[in-house]
Amino acid sequence: MKRTLGACYYPEHWPEEIWAEDAARMAAAGLTWIRIGEFSWSKLEPTPGELHWDWLDRAIETLGAQGLKVVLGTPTATPPRWMAERHPDMFAVDEQGRARGFGSRRHYCFSHKGYLGESRRITRLMAERYGDNPHVAAWQTDNEYGCHDTVISYSDAAKAAFRDWLREAFDGDIGALNTAWGNVFWSMEYRSFDEIGLPNLTVTEPNPAHVLAFKRFSSDQVVAFNRAQAEIIREFSNAPVSHNYMGRVTEFDHFKVGKDLEIATWDSYPLGFLEDRVGATVEEQRRYARQGDPDFQALHHDLYRAVGRGRWWVMEQQPGPVNWAPYNPSPLPGMVRLWTWEAFAHGAEAVCYFRWRQAPFAQEQMHAGLLRPDSKDAPAIAEARQVAQELRDAPEVQPAQATVAILFDYDADWAWSTQPHGAGLSYFQLILDHYKALRRAGQTIDILPPDTREFTGYKLILAPGLMHMPQDLKIALAESGAEILYGPRSGARDGHFSIPTGPLPPALPGLDVTVSRVESLRPDMPVALKDGGAAHRYLEELEGRAEVVLETEAGAPVALREGRQTYCGGWLDAAGLDRLIAVLAEAAGLALRSMPEGVRTRRTATEEFWFNHRAEPVQTEVGLLPAAGVLRRPL
Ligand code: GAL
């Protein structure tokens, strides 16, 4: 498949006289895809029922005339002001019970039936009009579900829908819910589903089973909202339907949303993320301020490849400084090209830059584009042109299955955030730490959804932190023939967030390990391991006959192994994880490579890509990589 480039464009922001020239310049720069429309509701329907399609017709025609393909976004992330009069209670409500207001975006509650109706209505009108338009070659539903903390809403609409959701989940049996949640504790028993409230504004912490159920419900509301749009678009169009996910937004199950779409896309802002989503130290933030974290984007590429069942794009690629991070430096020359090639190396079908031209007005004035507000070239467009030329000249990227995998489960992330048991402990961070260790060892990684039961081809599978593990998953992993890593907290809870009272967790077939006690650790009290590295943040006391792989300096087992399965009860620091990965990789027969700091590699079926995320040249086993350098080598 030919990989392609694109950009996000807002014709409604610019005088119509410049659209044709814009389109010609986009085509000349080597772009293929232009995403439009996703925030344009007030232009499409200035007052209820009065539809203005003419401008969008002409915008699509103008782009199409240059051979550009349009990704058309439904505008439901930005309901216009009149919507608030029609549906005054459509706003999401925060944990303090305050309704969010109009004046930015994503100001709706996923459970509001009236707004769901409006979302279906505008989607149907759009799909009817453009479903067979030859230039509309893909669709996008809404924009970045969950961004700006918008999945959870404590509204009356959510409360009513949550009660229905619970009634169905427990087959109408309130006694079963009371038992599953342990509501005998603190006299929390309910007599009917209609007595159940939302888990906010309680005096002290609510029941974790209640909180987790509400998170699962809230995720399902996103799935349903998205599905409604996808189904309507499909009635009128054969073009693929996508959604643009965000970085480190975990409040809804992307795998479930992804099942209703043909393509997963995501919005990659490496410098914006570094400051507040990566969990980097201050020193790392300084060192990578102009490059971004060497692993954070790659992890999302691999995650969203799984969400899209192989089909994924970067829908928004940072092209210069953004407006929204605590600090907003410019990328190092070469980084926009590196980020683009890195996405292709991970299998992206397309990379689109956000945005075509910097806006002179409103919230994102300080956000760079491919063009400056005066329409002159901004620095990134030269790098985009270079990639477009390279795509024409170079061999096609041929993706292949990796031999190493990480299981990723959104439900585990909700379980950890429901009960972190130590300040700041997060499942996502645990996964990122393991992913980084694999990348430091030069591995190419697949992320797998938690309902995977077929593991053929994998030699090493990491499944850390899965607090609830269905029995058939335990069996499938044990029988997969791969080396498996579990822990900490694997299998620590049943499906309703109680500690299993049979055999102590993790109760893994073929691995004689039980967790007899757990503790979380202050950031300044790591527990040193014998021979290097430490457990920090979280440490379990392990019992069992399995062979000790890592132990504390005091001689307590931290990782135990039996057959091909290993349980690690500590959250290991980088040095500890590097040791553990080395043991597992050797057992799995994987060739480990020691990557220079900031250098990463990824294999496809036919070649190996190398990326230097450092601000200076680095000597590697394949030669000298310039700063922000990319190297392709046939295998
Ligand atoms: C994304 C969003 C875009 C734009 C961009 C700015 O999160 O989808 O609409 O706001 O951020 O970086």
Side-chain angles (χ1 to χ4, degrees), residues 283-543:
E283 167 55 20
E284 286 160 347
Q285 290 183 30
R286 202 180 51 75
R287 205 164 346 129
Y288 290 100
R290 298 189 187 282
Q291 306 98 291
D293 181 76
D295 301 301
F296 191 79
Q297 287 67 245
L299 168 62
H300 287 83
H301 296 337
D302 292 341
L303 174 62
Y304 293 133
R305 189 174 61 252
V307 168
R309 288 154 292 138
R311 294 201 64 186
W312 73 280
W313 302 12
V314 173
M315 186 57 89
E316 300 181 13
Q317 173 62 63
Q318 173 168 5
V322 300
N323 58 301
W324 46 264
Y327 306 100
N328 296 289
S330 293
L332 208 69
M335 280 317 290
V336 171
R337 170 174 173 262
L338 183 151
W339 293 329
T340 309
W341 271 112
E342 189 173 49
F344 289 138
H346 286 254
E349 295 179 3
V351 175
C352 303
Y353 301 97
F354 184 92
R355 48 188 276 157
W356 172 246
R357 186 192 288 101
Q358 182 174 347
F361 43 67
Q363 280 92 328
E364 293 179 353
Q365 312 179 331
M366 302 304 290
H367 196 298
L370 293 180
L371 303 189
R372 307 187 320 203
D374 66 357
S375 294
K376 298 250 166 49
D377 285 0
I381 198 168
E383 296 190 29
R385 285 193 191 110
Q386 185 185 346
V387 178
Q389 186 58 46
E390 289 166 341
L391 283 170
R392 280 190 287 268
D393 299 344
E396 288 177 20
V397 179
Q398 310 279 355
Q401 186 185 315
T403 47
V404 177
I406 299 182
L407 273 187
F408 188 92
D409 186 359
Y410 287 93
D411 196 77
D413 191 75
W414 310 332
W416 278 76
S417 67
T418 296
Q419 190 184 69
H421 195 45
L425 298 191
S426 111
Y427 170 77
F428 186 94
Q429 196 68 44
L430 182 73
I431 292 293
L432 180 58
D433 283 3
H434 283 76
Y435 185 84
K436 282 177 164 292
L438 288 170
R439 299 250 300 169
R440 284 195 296 271
Q443 299 303 301
T444 296
I445 303 148
D446 282 346
I447 303 278
L448 301 177
D451 60 358
T452 311
R453 297 293 180 270
E454 167 56 54
F455 297 101
T456 309
Y458 293 108
K459 294 183 175 174
L460 171 61
I461 302 167
L462 309 191
L466 296 176
M467 281 184 73
H468 170 57
M469 292 186 72
Q471 190 62 17
D472 64 333
L473 174 60
K474 293 179 176 179
I475 292 169
L477 286 169
E479 293 177 351
S480 67
E483 284 291 320
I484 314 286
L485 175 68
Y486 307 94
R489 300 188 93 176
S490 292
R493 294 291 177 277
D494 69 13
H496 294 292
F497 217 81
S498 287
I499 299 173
T501 48
L504 275 185
L508 295 163
L511 177 55
D512 184 21
V513 175
T514 54
V515 174
S516 48
R517 195 173 61 172
V518 304
E519 59 173 356
S520 61
L521 303 170
R522 292 171 48 93
D524 53 3
M525 57 181 289
V527 175
L529 302 180
K530 195 181 278 173
D531 301 326
H536 60 173
R537 300 176 183 154
Y538 207 81
L539 187 58
E540 296 172 334
E541 192 177 274
L542 305 183
E543 291 175 354

Side-chain angles (χ1 to χ4, degrees), residues 20-206:
E21 194 195 327
D22 277 345
R25 287 177 78 184
M26 291 166 181
L31 305 186
T32 300
W33 294 96
I34 305 300
R35 185 195 62 181
I36 61 172
E38 81 277 11
F39 301 127
S40 64
W41 202 336
S42 71
K43 276 279 164 222
L44 292 174
E45 194 178 16
T47 56
E50 186 192 312
L51 275 310
H52 290 202
W53 299 111
D54 48 318
W55 69 270
L56 187 54
D57 295 349
R58 291 194 300 276
I60 292 173
E61 196 46 50
T62 307
L63 295 166
Q66 290 293 337
L68 297 161
K69 297 184 194 181
V70 170
V71 181
L72 189 57
T74 64
T76 47
T78 49
R81 180 65 183 83
W82 52 257
M83 195 71 77
E85 265 128 62
R86 264 190 163 184
H87 304 286
D89 56 352
M90 63 167 281
F91 297 93
V93 173
D94 74 9
E95 200 170 354
Q96 299 309 314
R98 296 169 304 204
R100 299 180 105 171
F102 181 84
S104 65
R105 61 178 172 183
R106 299 216 53 75
H107 42 282
Y108 67 86
C109 169
F110 281 101
S111 296
H112 191 272
K113 291 210 168 81
Y115 187 63
L116 179 62
E118 300 283 359
S119 149
R120 286 181 203 262
R121 182 179 63 82
I122 192 71
T123 300
R124 176 170 298 276
L125 290 168
M126 229 179 184
E128 264 170 4
R129 188 159 189 102
Y130 300 109
D132 56 9
N133 185 302
H135 306 307
V136 176
W139 293 82
Q140 175 180 297
T141 56
D142 203 279
N143 190 80
E144 288 185 347
Y145 294 134
C147 194
H148 317 307
D149 199 8
T150 50
V151 170
I152 305 274
S153 166
Y154 298 91
S155 66
D156 288 345
K159 185 162 64 188
F162 183 46
R163 288 172 176 168
D164 290 344
W165 184 92
L166 288 170
R167 198 177 277 115
E168 203 184 312
F170 287 92
D171 237 345
D173 182 350
I174 194 67
L177 179 142
N178 284 325
T179 305
W181 289 11
N183 282 340
V184 62
F185 193 80
W186 288 352
S187 274
M188 293 183 296
E189 284 161 303
Y190 301 107
R191 293 165 302 167
S192 94
F193 287 89
D194 294 325
E195 289 183 343
I196 301 176
L198 298 181
N200 65 326
L201 300 174
T202 51
V203 172
T204 182
E205 59 179 311

